[in-house]
Every structure is written in C-alpha cells, then in structure tokens.
Amino acid sequence: MDLFEHQGKEFFARYGMPVSPGDVAFSVEEAVAAAERIGTPVMVKAQVHAGGRGKAGGVKFAPDLDAVREHAGNILGLDIKGHIVKRLWIEKASDIAEEYYASFTLDRSAKKHLGMLSKEGGIEIETVAVENPDAIAKIWVDPVDGLSEEVCREWVAAAGLPDAAVEGAVDILLKLYTAYVDGDADMVEINPLILTEQGNVHVLDAKVTLDGNSEFRHPEYAQYDSTQVRDEREAAAHAHGLQYVGLDGTVGVIANGAGLAMSTVDVVSQAGGAAANFLDIGGGANADVMSAALEVINNDPAVKSIFINVFGGITRGDMVAEGIIEAMRRVDIHSPIVIRLDGTNAVEGREILAPRVGDDLMMEDTMLSAARRAVELAK
Amino acid sequence: MSIFVDENTKVVYQGLTGSQGSYYGRLNAEYGTQVVAGTNPRKAGTEVNGVPIFASVGEAVEATGATASCIFIPAAGVRGAVMEAAEGGIELIVAITEGVPAHDEAWFYNKLKRDFPNVQLLGPNCPGIISPGKCNIGITAGHIAKPDGPVGIVSRSGTLTYQALYELQQKDIGVTTCVGIGGDPVPGTSFIDCLKAFEADPETKAVMMIGEIGGSAEEEAAEFIKDHMTKPVSSYIAGVTAPPGKKMGHAGAIVSGGKGTAAAKMEALADAGVKVGNNPTEAGELMAEIVAGL
C-alpha cells in the first residue's frame, strides 16, 4: 500500500519525527486558504504515487499567495509519469542548508533489514548508487536485535554527515526504524532529509509503502485503502476481492493461483498475442468467484477473447465447470471463452462443459493450444 | 529415498481443529501421511477425525514422537505458531498460511537461525511438501504425483508446482520429493536448501526448478548450480511479460528498480547449464529429454 507524501508525514509524525506543518488541498481555492493558514512562504507539492515530481514541475516554491494560486493551478491536473495530480500538499517552506537521504527496506537476499544513508540526498538514490556507490552507507539490521543507538551512531559516522547534523540524524533514524518495524512498512524513505540553516535536522519528504498483510493489527490502515490509485478495472476487481492487474492486451485471462496466472499471461504472449490482465481467482473457483471474474473481464472494452486456465489441485474441475456455466447464465459475456481444465476431476468438468461448447465456449487440452486459440480469436 | 519427509515422518497439525486444518489434515492422512496429532489449547483431550488434540506442540511431540508440524493457523498467529513448534522440538515446520506480515517472517527466520539452527522452516505461503507414495504435508493433490523418482521438484508457486508434477506425470516420470517453498519475500527454505538436499539424495537424478519474478533467489540458485550441482536441472520462470512495479499476486512477485526480471533469471540459469523452458510444458519436455538420457 503506497502512501502519499502527506500521509507518510503524518505516519512519521506519529513516531515523533519532525515534519513541517501543512495541509491537503484539492483545488486552487483550498490551496490558497491553506497557505493563508500556514503562512507564506510555502511549498506547493503534487501528491502522486510516483517519483521525479520535482523534475516534472510538480513541486514549486511560493513566496506569496499569488504564487500559490499560480502554482496550484498549474500543478493540479498535471500528468506525472501517468499519474494525474488531483491533490496538493501545501507546507511551510524550509531553509535548506544540506540534503541527505535515508531509508529502510527488507533485503530479501540477506533476509535482514537494510538501512541506507547518504549525504548526497535530494536526487534519486538509484543515480547515486550507480554514479557514486561509496556515497551510500549501508547497514544490515537483524530484526531480532533491532537498531541500537550505538550502531546507529556508527552508521551516521560512516555516512560522513557533518557534526552539526549528527545528533538530529541519529534521533530521526532511530525513530524511522521504529516506524518501519512497528508500522509494518515494506519501505520508508526520507529524500531529502535536510539540515536547515538554523541547524535542525528535518524530514522534508516521505515515501512510505505499508505491508497490506499486516492490516489486521493496524486498523488505521483502512484509511489508506481508499486513496490507492487503481484503474477502473482494478477497482472493480478489488471490490470483489480478486487479485487483478490491468495490462494492455486483448486476451482476458482468468487462472487459479498467482504463478499459473503469470504463466498464462506468458503463454498468451508466446502465442503471438497480449493479455489484457492478470487475474488470480485463487483456490475457491465457485460460481460467485467465477461470475465476478468474468464480469470484471467482460467490462474491459479491450478484451476480444477470454482464456480461462484452471489447474484443479484441491480445487475440483467439476466445481469450476459448474461455476463457469452458472457465471455465463448470470453475465452476458461479449467475448468467446477458451477453457483449459486439468487436474482433479478435470474429466467430470469437461463432461459438464461439453454440451455448452460452441462459438462462445471452447475447450482445449493444453495450456499452449488454449493460448493459441484465444489469441486467434482476439485477432 | 526422498528429501525432508518420508513414510516415517510423524506430523502434528497446528490448527487441525479449524476448517482448513481438518480438511487437509484428513486428505493428508488418507494419502498415507502419519498424521499423529493436532493442537489447540482450548480443545486438548478431544479428537478430530480420530486424531488426538493436544494443548501445545511440546505435549504433542512428547506423546507421539512427531518430528514435523504443519501450520494452518490464521496469519496473525503464525509467528507464535512457528516459535511454539521450534520450542516444542519440531525439526521441520511447514507453514501453509498466506498473508503473513513480512516483518514477522523476517523476525522468525532470523530467530530460528540463531536459536534453533537445526529447525527447517518451509513457507509461509507455500503448498507444502510431498514425497509421492510416502508422505504429503500441505495442500497438494496427491494423485497428480507419480512416485519413485528420479526427479526432484522445487517451486516458488503453488499451482505451478501442481502443473510441474502434472507435466511429469503425463510423461510417466516419477518424483522423489516435490517442495513448494512459497512465494513470500522471506521464505524459510530457499531454492539452494532444496538443491543441496536433492544433490545429496541418491535416488534423485535430476531437478526441476520453477521460479518467478521478484527478488534474486533464482540468480543465487544459478550460482549454486554452477558451482555445486552435478545433477542436471530444468527450469521455468513465470512472469516473463510482467510489467515493472506491479505485484503479481504473490507478495514476492514484483519487478522493481529493473531487478528481478524473468529474463535476467533465465539468463543466469542458462549460464549455469540449466535447461530453461519458456513455459511449464517446455520445462517438462526438457526434463523428459534429461530423464531419457540418464
């Protein structure tokens, strides 16, 4: 779950990190009113789930209310890497002396938490990693031990932060680690972490990705679900509890299991076509789930054929077949369906489907032949 | 022979009293697995399908001599369940549950390494492990696996694990053991753990490895294969066409920052001498060629 900058800052503030006062605005008028409350000068910042906002013109300094009005008008509606700006964050401007970078994420290879700190902040860390890897001080934190103040101090020293920033940085980094662990984040990033002209270390940006699996112990996460950016198809699938990712092709894909669904998208491509989506219906392929899946796919105007790829493990083929027939009764399907059914009770399942086979419903014996058929039909 | 589990493996089911646990516990027992105990502190002394329920894993181990456990506990309780199994004397913990927070996984992975270095954790979010004809722990449908080798299977994805078993069964090729390591960011058992065990198992003559996008586990496996495997390997990596930045169902399956692409993994494996197929069927055909040449 990705948080907007302002949500990330609220999240950080809950763990005691210093952030600037600010307000969310959805219109030019709201932006001006917010700036009036906070007091100029302010920063006008686009709130999108994408990096490179500054370069795209989505972050502007406004010395007065007229500038706020002008920048807000320009930034609202701006397209930043495919994300249209609908909300702004208006915050008190800071006097920046230096810019640093700090983050924690899980290193899946080391199976420990990876902390990265650099005195070269403000730009994309991938660029620093390529051009000047020595400028990034890394630590690996064992989740059982956690991050001690002693280790944190050594880390800050290794990054070469100036003396004036050490105490403030240690304080923020310890809090950032606590926020990362206690808040169940996949990733927390501050870029830039700044040293102000006044000598304070301060959080100027916040990038936070939360682990959706931990929602059971974070009821406060529910508020972020509604601000996730999903296209129309993804929103409809999400409402039905389906694992759906929108793609650009014309073959609608339904499969059970994430691996098989990914593999189905692959074989469609190998057959010379392109999948319109990734859709995993999981283990319970009953009529309700199948109807919901077909409905979501059916509503995608790009779809020209539908490929249902089910491997019955514990999921039984006869149940899947009944689910498909029932779903076809409930939903008026616009595109022909190609089914490949294998595994448990596949023979019974195919017998159930056989009488319905025609121009709108076809059966194939293998994943590859089914993919070819579906691609052919989508042309 | 087989790896990790065989006909003598006694298994305690944590969560046997729940709907999932009782269902798969029964299927596993019907397959021939020694399902010797279940646990539930509030239902100790009762039975589920004739299997005795104990208050804790420790008590179950003491009474039955179980060496493996299978976890069907909801995600919130998995961290506690894993530690209870390790403290109770279990050697192999199979965690089926999906949706476990990544921070919990990272924590108990490191806690086990430190305090219980001999405990093998499989999962979470995995289909389990099957040594066909001997023992089936988890949610794999036993009848799609042909027993007696010579192929070992290790896979990161559930249904693709079944697909791999099925591809081999269609070609009348048997399997020693099939391990589903799960699709989460911090799996307890890695590809390398399984490759090592297959390399050491005299009955396993070749290995089929099913990977997917995300992380670097396949690349690490390729390094291991290059340096340490004498047995031939065939492979398939799911997600060739996956767009960057989108999680494909599994928490671990994401291409981020240009890393974890299927192409890079396939190249690393091919460089290590692995026969890489473009889909599960091709990987199965490549394995059939390998088996024919054994």
Side-chain angles (χ1 to χ4, degrees):
Chain A
M1 233 173 345
D2 294 323
L3 268 53
F4 288 121
E5 174 196 359
H6 73 90
Q7 294 170 326
K9 285 180 171 170
E10 288 157 17
F11 176 78
F12 285 167
R14 282 207 289 278
Y15 292 91
M17 283 181 260
V19 297
S20 307
D23 250 325
V24 181
F26 295 91
S27 66
V28 173
E29 290 67 35
E30 283 178 26
V32 173
E36 241 177 333
R37 263 196 308 279
I38 298 156
T40 50
V42 295
M43 297 301 295
V44 181
K45 305 180 84 175
Q47 300 295 289
V48 285
H49 296 307
R53 290 176 299 164
K55 258 185 232 163
V59 179
K60 293 284 183 195
F61 174 75
D64 52 45
L65 293 181
D66 284 343
V68 172
R69 190 179 307 277
E70 185 194 335
H71 293 318
N74 291 337
I75 295 173
L76 281 168
L78 198 64
D79 183 333
I80 300 179
K81 293 181 183 168
H83 298 258
I84 305 297
V85 181
K86 291 175 181 157
R87 66 172 72 199
L88 301 170
W89 174 242
I90 311 297
E91 96 174 1
K92 188 87 184 159
S94 300
D95 301 318
I96 304 170
E98 294 192 27
E99 295 184 299
Y100 315 128
Y101 170 94
S103 70
F104 286 104
T105 184
L106 176 69
D107 181 339
R108 291 167 50 173
S109 185
K111 297 178 170 69
K112 292 191 164 47
H113 300 309
L114 168 63
M116 292 200 282
L117 180 63
S118 174
K119 60 178 181 182
E120 295 189 17
I123 47 173
E124 285 191 32
I125 197 66
E126 285 84 5
T127 314
V128 180
V130 172
E131 288 169 7
N132 192 7
D134 292 341
I136 303 172
K138 295 181 179 179
I139 50 161
W140 281 268
V141 183
D142 187 317
V144 180
D145 295 328
L147 178 63
S148 70
E149 187 180 329
E150 192 188 345
V151 170
C152 189
R153 281 190 184 280
E154 287 168 16
W155 181 32
V156 170
L161 263 53
D163 290 346
V166 168
E167 291 308 317
V170 168
D171 180 60
I172 287 176
L173 291 169
L174 287 170
K175 286 170 178 163
L176 183 64
Y177 183 78
T178 304
Y180 168 68
V181 174
D182 291 358
D184 273 299
D186 285 337
M187 203 258 320
V188 290
E189 183 184 86
I190 307 173
N191 189 23
L193 176 71
I194 60 159
L195 179 66
T196 64
E197 302 282 4
Q198 296 76 25
N200 299 316
V201 182
H202 192 80
V203 175
L204 208 62
D205 194 10
K207 199 169 163 194
V208 176
T209 305
L210 299 173
D211 177 5
N213 283 347
S214 69
E215 216 171 328
F216 65 81
R217 59 188 174 210
H218 297 285
E220 74 276 15
Y221 284 9
Q223 64 178 306
Y224 304 129
D225 189 59
S226 59
T227 55
Q228 293 307 296
V229 176
R230 301 183 175 99
D231 72 22
E232 222 169 276
R233 302 173 297 172
E234 288 173 348
H238 182 74
H240 284 108
L242 298 168
Q243 294 276 356
Y244 180 101
V245 177
L247 302 170
D248 298 330
T250 54
V251 179
V253 165
I254 298 175
N256 65 327
L260 189 65
M262 259 190 275
S263 192
T264 307
V265 172
D266 288 350
V267 293
V268 165
S269 156
Q270 284 157 17
N277 64 279
F278 161 101
L279 201 169
D280 170 14
I281 51 170
N286 60 30
D288 287 341
V289 175
M290 193 54 86
S291 300
L294 277 171
E295 203 173 317
V296 167
I297 300 229
N298 205 37
N299 287 338
D300 181 350
V303 168
K304 299 283 179 279
S305 70
I306 300 170
F307 178 6
I308 301 178
N309 188 11
V310 171
F311 194 99
I314 297 299
T315 311
R316 285 163 40 200
D318 52 334
M319 301 274 289
V320 173
E322 277 163 12
I324 291 168
I325 300 237
E326 175 60 28
M328 288 178 76
R329 240 196 306 267
R330 289 190 208 168
V331 186
D332 176 28
I333 316 276
H334 313 316
S335 317
I337 300 174
V338 182
I339 299 168
R340 173 266 184 165
L341 191 57
D342 260 327
T344 311
N345 289 6
V347 176
E348 291 84 343
R350 291 192 203 122
E351 276 168 16
I352 291 168
L353 291 169
R356 277 292 287 104
V357 165
D359 289 345
D360 57 344
L361 183 69
M362 285 152 253
M363 275 197 282
E364 286 286 341
D365 287 340
T366 70
M367 210 165 136
L368 299 183
S369 63
R372 281 192 286 268
R373 190 80 174 264
V375 168
E376 197 57 41
L377 290 164
K379 274 177 185 163
Chain B
M1 290 260 298
S2 48
I3 69 166
F4 302 144
V5 296
D6 60 24
E7 63 274 25
N8 299 314
T9 306
K10 292 179 177 167
V11 194
V12 50
Y13 284 68
Q14 297 173 259
L16 190 68
T17 53
S19 65
Q20 297 263 308
S22 62
Y23 179 66
Y24 294 115
R26 181 171 58 77
L27 290 182
N28 289 174
E30 283 168 7
Y31 188 77
T33 309
Q34 292 201 46
V35 179
V36 296
T39 60
N40 184 329
R42 290 181 310 277
K43 293 182 180 164
T46 64
E47 287 187 350
V48 171
N49 303 321
V51 178
I53 303 299
F54 296 86
S56 71
V57 175
E59 285 175 31
V61 166
E62 198 164 313
T64 64
T67 56
S69 90
C70 184
I71 295 177
F72 276 105
I73 304 273
V78 167
R79 174 169 157 160
V82 166
M83 293 321 296
E84 183 190 328
E87 284 158 9
I90 291 293
E91 292 161 16
L92 173 70
I93 304 168
V94 181
I96 306 298
T97 311
E98 64 178 320
V100 177
H103 279 274
D104 286 3
E105 291 183 4
W107 186 88
F108 58 65
Y109 178 90
N110 285 284
K111 184 73 175 165
L112 289 179
K113 280 275 173 276
R114 177 182 308 194
D115 296 342
F116 302 93
N118 297 320
V119 172
Q120 181 93 43
L121 169 69
L122 182 60
N125 188 19
C126 77
I129 177 167
I130 176 170
S131 293
K134 298 171 182 171
C135 179
N136 183 11
I137 305 175
I139 60 176
T140 306
H143 64 88
I144 55 170
K146 181 174 151 47
D148 297 332
V151 178
I153 299 177
V154 55
S155 167
R156 235 172 99 184
S157 136
T159 25
L160 281 182
T161 311
Y162 314 151
Q163 182 72 35
L165 281 167
Y166 182 75
E167 296 284 355
L168 295 186
Q169 190 193 48
Q170 292 296 297
K171 295 174 171 64
D172 203 33
I173 298 170
V175 170
T176 51
T177 300
C178 173
V179 192
I181 60 173
D184 274 4
V186 193
T189 294
S190 68
F191 281 124
I192 293 175
D193 295 328
C194 298
L195 292 169
K196 234 182 244 176
F198 282 131
E199 177 69 14
D201 173 38
E203 202 198 325
T204 302
K205 306 290 185 201
V207 181
M208 190 164 168
M209 179 179 138
I210 309 292
E212 62 187 33
I213 53 163
S216 56
E218 289 80 4
E219 286 87 337
E220 287 152 23
E223 281 295 307
F224 178 85
I225 291 167
K226 195 188 254 177
D227 297 340
H228 302 288
M229 286 286 285
T230 61
K231 298 175 182 178
V233 181
S234 86
S235 182
Y236 164 64
I237 306 295
V240 176
T241 43
K246 301 247 187 190
K247 271 187 194 174
M248 301 300 256
H250 283 164
I254 182 165
V255 174
S256 52
K259 284 190 188 145
T261 64
K265 291 171 187 294
M266 290 163 80
E267 199 184 313
L269 287 163
D271 279 352
V274 174
K275 305 279 183 211
V276 183
N278 285 314
N279 51 61
T281 308
E282 257 186 54
E285 282 162 2
L286 291 167
M287 183 46 75
E289 282 169 27
I290 289 171
V291 170
L294 284 174

